[in-house]
Amino acid sequence: MVSATLVKPVVLPAPARVAFDNAPEVLEALWRSLGTEPVELDLGPCVEFDSSLVGVMLELLRRAAARGQTLRFGNPGANLRKLAKLYGAEEILLGNRD
């Protein structure tokens, strides 16, 4: 019998601010820091953001999936949930979390 080993994701903090003017730099910096292990990006520290954050999250998820990497987003605040829902991306980005 083969037992499945659960790999605990590496938790990385999101930057405090993600907006239109710094989104490309944030995207590339986060991408470089992801490595290849399963990752949870902790969104709790991100307190100042606009819709660019949703775009950054979607692109990180796309890139991670392309190389077979597991990426989750943890600690989304209520405003980020509302924004993701507005864009129809809540399920893709945040799943069914209460």
Side-chain angles (χ1 to χ4, degrees), residues 20-96:
F20 182 75
D21 64 325
N22 73 340
E25 293 84 9
V26 168
L27 171 64
E28 294 309 321
L30 287 172
W31 179 243
R32 284 190 304 272
S33 68
L34 288 186
T36 57
E37 299 297 318
V39 172
E40 179 173 311
L41 184 61
D42 180 7
L43 298 167
C46 192
V47 294
E48 185 182 341
F49 58 88
D50 62 18
S51 61
S52 301
L53 177 56
V54 173
V56 167
M57 292 167 66
L58 286 168
E59 180 59 14
L60 286 172
L61 198 60
R62 185 194 68 75
R63 290 182 185 186
R67 71 176 176 195
Q69 182 179 18
T70 300
L71 174 61
R72 290 190 64 214
F73 300 104
N75 299 317
N79 287 338
L80 179 54
R81 283 191 162 284
K82 290 176 189 175
L83 193 57
K85 186 173 184 177
L86 176 68
Y87 281 95
E90 184 179 30
E91 181 68 29
I92 295 166
L93 295 174
L94 306 174
N96 274 340

